[in-house]
Amino acid sequence: MKNRKVRLADRRKVTSGAKKRPRSKKTSTSSTRKRSFAASLRLPLVHSAAAVVSASDEGRTLGGVLKELSRLPFQEIIVVLNGCKDNSYEIARRYPRVTIIHEPDRVGHDVGRAIGAELTTAEIVLFTDGDIVIKAEKLAPFLKAVDGGVDMALNNLSSYIPPFSKQDDVTRMKAYLNSVLGRSDLEANSLVAVPHALSGRCIREIGYQSLMVPPIAQMLACTKGLNVASAAKVNVIAGNRLRKENVGKGNKVERMIIGDHIEALSRYLAENKEHSPALNRAAIASWRNAL
């Protein structure tokens, strides 16, 4: 836990609004800037929608990400440049409806999403990252799900996940947390994975700060009775950008995600002692065999 890129305490300071937050530069692009885009996707929504993109030196793909988002009916697209040293800023400025948040330090994608959630007033908020281009047609179901009453629309990765014996520790931790929360139906689907979408009500109920630790945000949504569902599926496993921090067993990203799940479990069990499961051998065996 000590070797995490950004320690949990540091992450909370960034977006909590208490005391100091690293200085961020906010820039709105001109909506009159001319640029050719792919045809807009016809997607009638009852509620207002926004997108939040967290990017860390992803100039190679950021343009494609914004091109697809520009096809959807967003009132704004918030791009959080997370310690970028490449040309991501120049790329983001080319697109209308984009608000750029420049965070000079690399504080992590989760913090970037929390910053975006704090700033937007939209009633539907789609979250994605700048390192993977996803077609607008695949993002649309997340918006429709929230527009139709879902509060937390998760990416359904179940069909891409191997059987229990071949799963990694992160996948098992995701499934275990859902099981403890009484949501085994979610399997290993988690707010850790993008894309996902939240309702404005969900953000207000769980607090935008909770998004800095996605398993805690998901735990809060479940315990508060919000509508959490696996809304649509996008295979981001195959397209996940490989970095030195997320390659190899026991890497920094893996340890951080597992640590976040342990924190979510600890908090849930501390606040819901009457619902704490008795983890005997039979219960654990039953849980494993059900996967």
Side-chain angles (χ1 to χ4, degrees):
M1 295 287 285
K2 291 182 180 179
N3 293 326
R4 290 162 62 167
K5 188 74 175 178
V6 178
R7 296 190 305 276
L8 185 59
D10 295 334
R11 294 197 301 181
R12 284 186 178 141
K13 288 178 185 176
V14 172
T15 59
S16 66
K19 299 186 180 180
K20 277 192 172 179
R21 185 159 97 185
R23 293 181 181 176
S24 299
K25 181 167 57 180
K26 179 177 177 179
T27 307
S28 294
T29 62
S30 170
S31 59
T32 60
R33 188 172 288 107
K34 294 181 180 180
R35 184 174 178 81
S36 59
F37 297 103
S40 296
L41 189 66
R42 291 180 60 85
L43 184 68
L45 297 173
V46 175
H47 301 93
S48 59
V52 174
V53 182
S54 185
S56 296
D57 288 335
E58 277 134 9
R60 184 176 59 85
T61 51
L62 183 58
V65 170
L66 295 177
K67 180 179 178 181
E68 290 301 321
L69 291 176
S70 296
R71 298 176 58 206
L72 294 165
F74 292 119
Q75 67 177 31
E76 65 178 339
I77 301 171
I78 298 174
V79 178
V80 182
L81 298 180
N82 191 344
C84 289
K85 302 188 187 319
D86 63 357
N87 63 337
S88 294
Y89 178 80
E90 287 74 18
I91 291 171
R93 276 182 55 82
R94 300 172 190 165
Y95 291 82
R97 288 182 288 160
V98 167
T99 297
I100 300 171
I101 307 299
H102 178 247
E103 176 53 64
D105 300 318
R106 185 160 291 190
V107 293
H109 284 313
D110 299 333
V111 173
R113 294 178 199 128
I115 292 173
E118 178 188 10
L119 294 175
T120 185
T121 59
E123 285 301 314
I124 306 170
V125 186
L126 176 79
F127 297 86
T128 190
D129 289 343
D131 62 348
I132 181 168
V133 180
I134 302 171
K135 299 292 289 182
E137 288 80 0
K138 291 190 175 183
L139 296 171
F142 294 93
L143 301 179
K144 290 296 291 183
V146 176
D147 199 46
V150 173
D151 291 301
M152 183 175 282
L154 304 176
N155 188 1
N156 188 353
L157 297 175
S158 296
S159 60
Y160 308 116
I161 294 174
F164 185 88
S165 61
K166 297 182 179 179
Q167 290 175 7
D168 57 32
D169 293 339
V170 168
T171 301
R172 293 173 180 173
M173 283 297 294
K174 291 175 181 177
Y176 182 63
L177 175 61
N178 288 335
S179 178
V180 171
L181 295 174
R183 293 300 309 271
S184 296
D185 59 298
L186 295 175
E187 299 179 315
N189 296 319
S190 167
L191 201 64
V192 171
V194 291
H196 53 258
L198 304 180
S199 67
R201 172 193 175 209
C202 179
I203 293 171
R204 292 187 292 272
E205 285 283 330
I206 67 177
Y208 70 86
Q209 299 94 331
S210 69
L211 297 178
M212 290 184 280
V213 187
I216 287 182
Q218 187 164 334
M219 180 271 290
L220 290 173
C222 290
T223 56
K224 288 177 179 290
L226 298 176
N227 187 352
V228 181
S230 301
K233 61 180 183 178
V234 178
N235 186 1
V236 293
I237 297 175
N240 190 30
R241 179 180 171 185
L242 298 180
R243 309 172 188 260
K244 63 180 181 180
E245 295 90 356
N246 68 0
V247 175
K249 185 174 177 57
N251 62 71
K252 289 182 179 180
V253 173
E254 179 182 290
R255 295 198 305 272
M256 182 184 73
I257 295 174
I258 290 174
D260 286 350
H261 280 78
I262 292 172
E263 184 178 1
L265 282 165
S266 298
R267 179 168 169 179
Y268 173 78
L269 296 177
E271 296 175 358
N272 301 272
K273 293 181 180 179
E274 68 277 13
H275 300 303
S276 299
L279 300 179
N280 53 43
R281 282 178 174 270
I284 294 174
S286 175
W287 172 72
R288 288 185 59 177
N289 292 335
L291 296 176

